[in-house]
Structure formats: structure tokens, C-alpha cells
Amino acid sequence: MTKILLRYLNLLVLTLLVVIVFSFTLGYLFPGDVYTNLTGLESKAEALRYLKVDSDAGFFSLFIAYFSNTLVGQWGVSSITGEPLFSEVLLSLPATLELGFYALLLAVVVGLPCGFFAGLKPQRSLDMSILGASAVMYSFPVFWLAMVFILIFSLNLEWLPMSGRVDLLLNVPTVSGFIFVDILLADNIDKGHAFVDALKHLALPTLSVSIITMATLIRAVRRSTLDVMRKPYIIAAQSRGLSSAQIFLKHGMRNALLPILPIMAMQVTTLITNVMIVESLFSWPGMGHWLLQAIYQQDYPAIRTGLLAVAGAVIVLTIIIEVLSRLVDPSREKFDRVAV
Amino acid sequence: MALLDIKNLTLEIDTDNGWIKALDKANLSVREGEIQALVGESGSGKSLIVRAISGGLPPQMRLTADRMTWRGANLLAMNAEQRREIMRRDIAVVYQDPLASLDPSVTLGEQLEESVPYEFVGKGWFWEKQKERKRIAIELVHKVGIKDHAGVMSAYPHQIASDIGQKFMIAMALVSQPALLIADDPTRGMEATTKVQILKLFKRLNQTKRLSILFVGHDLLAISSMSDSMTVLYCGQTVESGPIKQLQKRPLHPYTKALLDSAPSFRADLPPKSPLVTLPGTIPTLQHLPIGCRLGPRCHRAQKTCVQTPAVRKIHDHFYSCHYPLHTNNS
Ligand SMILES: Nc1ncnc2c1ncn2[C@@H]1O[C@H](COP(=O)(O)OP(=O)(O)OP(=O)(O)O)[C@@H](O)[C@H]1O
Ligand code: SF4
Ligand SMILES: [Mg+2]
């Protein structure tokens, strides 16, 4: 088991290295001076000091300097605001992860039961309606869905707010970057009211992001339940006189879920992409929103850092889910290769 | 009275070529306390009979029967709950592929303990019950000849050898102390000593516990040494059944004779270097079934009448379905 964890760690480190190399080459590919692109500092002297290299440093020693700076969180400064990029990312990445997490949670909470119900009684009307609904859900483009939600629930019905994470007048101080944690930590505010307000802000973005993941999940769970319930061990369990509920809970559900986790690992990329799209529509102060601003303002150091951070987050999440799925599935041989 | 009595069991399967009768008016009757053998070539439908008895057929299979009773109670008229109760307490099945019959994500020990009927564990706190389940499980694992109970119980199905799996499935089947054990090819691929061990266990259970056994298999030598009666299946039709002694001495159906003759170790009077007697041809596939007696194209006694399905005839408790049986005067 330790061996497998080490292999995944190896995979993680190598992939992150590749991402850093890529972000380094962006410094050369973007228009403008390499040193400015890598640090965000206008003058070459300051940039060299920031990177701790001499002006005659070659490509390779420049990379080493950039690499060690990246590791310690010296990601340069924004060429527009002059703020350190690391702390800016630290401010907006939690918002993205938070939205992604709730969207995934909603997709799982709704998707798993729907998938199970559909898969247990295939070809019945319940199955057909769930399957139909998931097909429709799957075919909505996420930005269009978000705009429809805004149109209906925010503009016409005026039920839910259309931008931000919480009413700004509430003055919730940022500590962790995760809104509910921050509300809990804050003093001098009406926590109940802030909580409800944050939930209202969360509702539409979460729903828009989770719809596609939910649809994917429903179809995958249905398929897998269908397959598992036909397996000889389910038939054998039936002939031992176990009740349908016992069979499903003890043997069906677990085996149906095992192939789902790797699918979820693949879904993380789609999920984060969708989160970033939805963020800019709802002015959700996350990475997507932030990156878009950086692109508008041609803030190349910020674009470089943003890509680095998002790619890093996706890789870490994917590998975590992969490791989890490996840990819960006893039938995957211990000496299998690792891959994501 | 027969424990399990099946008359004219027809099982149709929905295939690409429409509904096909994979079992055609099969008859089977297992009496209390006997060991009945069910033999037939590969693909003759033995496992399908087992499936039909255990119930819960997939929607692409359709079952009809004139009679299908368990201790006189009509299995076909029962609701799912009553049927389940019979499978839980009275009938136990060992399926042909033991490793596929085990949940790959749960340890063997857990699966065995889960099968212990709640009546056996008495009252008490759940950990007391758990302990009792464990005790029963270990006892059974030893009984079927697995010595390393700790290793096997904590293993997952993919980690054990297939003969251990076969033994383990027998333990799973015996845990409910059933009245009838249906064992589908339980000794397939086992080495001789292990096989003998299993057969002895069956014989002993049959004698001491009056466990009735429906033994499905190919191994005629093993079958003749332990069974009381035998049912011969060919291509979904039961061609002959009766006490094993009689079937051996005087098979009436040409297929039974060919089957017996094809097992050389089975014939004491075999002269040295004589050619093996076998039927020409192979068992037809379900897509190309002959009408009438399905043995027709391969039968050397076949005549025109054989395109009609022969009715079941009987001499004492010896049943056969053939228009021109062997050893009789009317042929
Ligand atoms: N689910 C199914 N769908 C279609 N055909 C099937 C199905 N199950 C079994 N059959 C067919 O029914 C026939 C009988 O199969 P069965 O497994 O009962 O044979 P068997 O006598 O048990 O053979 P063996 O000795 O190899 O176990 C075979 O021709 C098989 O192809
Ligand atoms: S019924 Fe005819 S074809 Fe069938 S076994 Fe008897 S003789 Fe042969
Ligand atoms: Mg079989």
C-alpha cells in the first residue's frame, strides 16, 4: 500500500513539475520581456533581484531560480495592481474550490439515488423519466443555463441574487476564503442572516455547475447498477434468500459505486472548467473571474500564475480521488500501475 | 413423496432469432434423502434447470411448467417472499462458477457470516451474535476441508485458488442446513484427492443428515459411486431417468447408452484396444434445434416417427422418452 501511495506521489510531483515548466515557457511565449513576464516587475534590475539571479544567467539557471521561487510562493506581482500574485490566488482559489465542492456535492446527493433507482428497475417509467431528464440536462451548455437561471430567478422572479458570494453590506471579513467558514469566524454580524444570504448567493451558481456533472453521474451510476445487478454473485445472493434490500445495500451498491470514483476523477477537470465559466457570469470572486480580469487587462504574470494554480489544483484533486478509489477497491491488484 | 417435483418444465430464452426453447418439457424429481445425478453434455441445459429452480430469472427468460412443487407446495404460485423463504432455509445452490458467485469487494468471511440464518445465532447483543456467526462459519469452513480458515476468511475472492473457492461455496450452501443441496459441477477441475474429499463429504451429509443432493456433473464414475438415481438431459430434453443401477445395467434410451459407453473407465467388460464408442456429430446449438426428438440427427435408431417428440413412458420407476428404446421387444 505504501508503495502505491509513493507511486501516486511520484506521479503528482512529476506532473506538477511539467506544469511549472510550462508556466516558465509562457514567460518566453507571452509578448514583452521575459523577466517582467516571470515576475511582474517592470525594471529588469528589480526582476533579477526578485528571482535572485545575475543578469547573465542562462536559460537553465533562470528556470532553477523560477522553480525555487514558485515552490516558496514567490509567484511574482500583478503588473496592474502590483499586489503579490500568491496572496491574490489565495484569495480567489478558495471561492472556486468552494463552488466546485458544493456543485459536486449536489450532483452526488441527487445523482446517486437517481442513478440507483433508474438502474434497479430498468425500462420502467421511472427509469425512462430519469434517463430522459439526464439527457436533457446533459445537453445544456453551462453558460446558457446560467444565463437562463439569472433571467428567471434573479431578474423576473427576483428570488435570488445574481452576483457575489454574500451581501457586501454584511462586511464578512475574509479569513479562510471559504464563505461559510468565514461567517462562522466573523464577530459582530448576524450569523443566521449571513448564512441564509450566502446560501441564496450560492444557489444559482451551484445549480448551473452541477447540472452537467449530475447528468454524467446519473448515467454512469445507472449503467453500473444495471451491470452489477446482473452479476452471478447477485444471483447467488438471491438464491441464498437474501432480501432485495439486503442484496442491494450489501453487494449491489458498493460494487456499483467502485467504477464511479475513477469517472469522478475524470470529471474534476470538466467541473472546474464549468465553475470558472459560471464564476464570470455570477461575478463570483474565484479563479475564473480573476483570470478573465487578468486577460482583459493583459496582465501576463497573472495569467501565468492563474494557469499554474488552476492546473495544480486540478491535478491534486484528480490524484486524491484516484487514490481514494484505489483504497476502497480491494479487487484492483496491489501491483497495478498508477495512472490518472 | 418427492421433495422437489418438476413436470414439463419449459424455459424459453429471447434471442436474436426469437424465443427458443432451451429446456423442452424437462422432468425432474428428487426424493427425500436421495442423491440424484443430473448429467448431460456441455450445453444440454443443466445449469438452466438449476437457474429455473432457484428462481429470479431475468426478463429475457420465460418459464412454464405443468408442475413445479417443493414438498407439495406449488413453487410457481408462490409470491417472491415465500419463494425467498424456501431458498433461504430449504434449498441451497452451489453455482458452476464459484468465484463469480462471490462478491468481489467483500471478504469471504463476511459473506459466509452474512449467510448464517438469524435463527441460528440466538438472542443477545450484536457482538455476541457476531461471535456466534463467526464460530458457525469457521466450523463450516473446516468441515469442507479448508484448514487455513483465518487466511481464507479474510481474503477477497480474487485472492483465492479456484478449488478453495469451490469448497467455500459448498460451505456457504451448507450454512443454512438445507434439505436439498443443488451442486452444479462442484468438483470441476479439482484434483483427484480433493474431489474424493468433497464426494465423501456429500455422501456423509446424505447419510447422517439425510441431506438430499441434486448433483450436476459430467463425471460418471463419481456419480455412479454415490448417486441413487440419475436423470439424463440431452439438449434441453430429459431423455431418461431412474435408479442408477437400472440405468447402468439396462439403459433404454440410445443417448444414455452412448453416454455410458463413452466413459471407458465405467465399463468393466471393455476388451483391450477396442475403439471408443461415441455418438457421431455434436450437440446442436440452440439456434439449430431439430424438431421432435432432439437426438434425431445423431441417432442410429431414428425413424420417421422421431420428428414427433416422444412421450414419457415408464417401466416401474424408470422413465424414458424414445419411440424405439433399446432392450425392449416392441422395436
Ligand atoms: N442467458 C442465456 N441466454 C441465451 N442462451 C443461454 C443463456 N444461458 C444459457 N444459454 C444457452 O442454454 C444452453 C444450456 O446452457 P447451460 O449452461 O445450462 O448448459 P450446461 O448443461 O450447464 O453446460 P455445462 O456442462 O457446460 O455447464 C446453452 O446452449 C447456452 O448457450
Ligand atoms: S426417439 Fe427416435 S431419434 Fe429419439 S432417441 Fe429414440 S430412436 Fe432416437
Ligand atoms: Mg452448466
Side-chain angles (χ1 to χ4, degrees), chain A residues 4 101 107 138 140 143 160 172 200 214 228 255 257 265 336:
Chain A
I4 291 212
F101 174 74
Y138 193 74
F140 286 141
F143 59 88
L160 295 165
V172 180
K200 277 185 176 169
M214 197 186 286
V228 164
N255 286 297
L257 283 182
D336 262 5

Side-chain angles (χ1 to χ4, degrees), chain B residues 243-312:
Chain B
I244 192 140
K245 294 272 157 6
Q246 268 190 46
L247 255 74
Q248 262 178 43
K249 207 161 63 204
R250 242 165 64 94
L252 294 176
H253 198 283
Y255 182 69
T256 314
K257 179 147 174 33
L259 196 68
L260 295 174
D261 287 348
S262 69
S265 49
F266 197 65
R267 293 180 59 196
D269 58 338
L270 201 67
K273 294 209 174 161
S274 59
L276 270 180
V277 198
T278 45
L279 276 180
T282 53
I283 188 165
T285 59
L286 286 182
Q287 285 74 32
H288 303 100
L289 288 175
I291 52 164
C293 175
R294 290 183 176 177
L295 190 64
R298 296 173 77 186
C299 180
H300 57 93
R301 294 172 73 86
Q303 296 180 33
K304 257 192 198 142
T305 2
C306 297
V307 294
Q308 270 147 23
T309 311
V312 182

Side-chain angles (χ1 to χ4, degrees), chain A residues 231-244 246 250-252 254-255 258 329-334, chain B residues 51 54-56 84 87-88 91-93 95 100-106 111 114-115 156 158-159 169 172:
Chain A
K231 286 272 161 71
Y233 55 83
I234 296 292
I235 295 163
Q238 277 164 355
S239 74
R240 267 183 275 141
L242 269 61
S243 68
S244 313
Q246 270 176 316
K250 285 188 180 162
H251 302 292
R254 193 189 161 98
N255 286 297
L258 287 179
D329 188 350
S331 64
R332 279 175 73 174
E333 283 301 334
K334 299 286 178 271
Chain B
R51 260 319 282 282
S54 57
R84 189 163 77 75
M87 292 310 296
R88 192 174 76 84
I91 304 180
V93 185
Y95 286 100
S101 312
L102 289 163
D103 183 339
S105 68
V106 181
Q111 301 192 47
E114 159 197 289
S115 314
Y156 288 97
H158 71 276
Q159 294 169 326
M169 286 313 290
M172 292 267 272

Side-chain angles (χ1 to χ4, degrees), chain A residues 2-3 8 14 18 63 104 112 122 125 135 141 146 191 201 203 237 247 274 281 327:
Chain A
T2 0
K3 209 166 155 194
Y8 274 112
L14 283 180
V18 170
F63 173 71
L104 191 61
L112 290 193
S125 50
K191 284 188 187 172
H201 278 84
I247 290 173
N274 286 340
L281 290 169
L327 291 181

Side-chain angles (χ1 to χ4, degrees), chain B residues 114-139:
Chain B
E114 159 197 289
S115 314
V116 178
Y118 54 81
E119 299 93 310
F120 292 4
V121 290
K123 287 196 170 59
W125 296 97
F126 72 90
W127 59 84
E128 290 170 339
K129 288 193 195 166
Q130 197 49 44
K131 233 171 124 182
E132 180 66 8
R133 281 175 200 278
K134 186 148 191 158
R135 193 189 59 72
I136 295 176
I138 291 176
E139 199 182 293

Side-chain angles (χ1 to χ4, degrees), chain B residues 41-48 50 95-97 184-185 188 216 218:
Chain B
E41 275 170 271
S42 197
S44 54
K46 303 183 297 292
S47 299
L48 285 179
V50 175
Y95 286 100
Q96 194 163 13
D97 185 354
D184 193 349
D185 217 353
R188 180 176 59 159
V216 181
H218 303 102

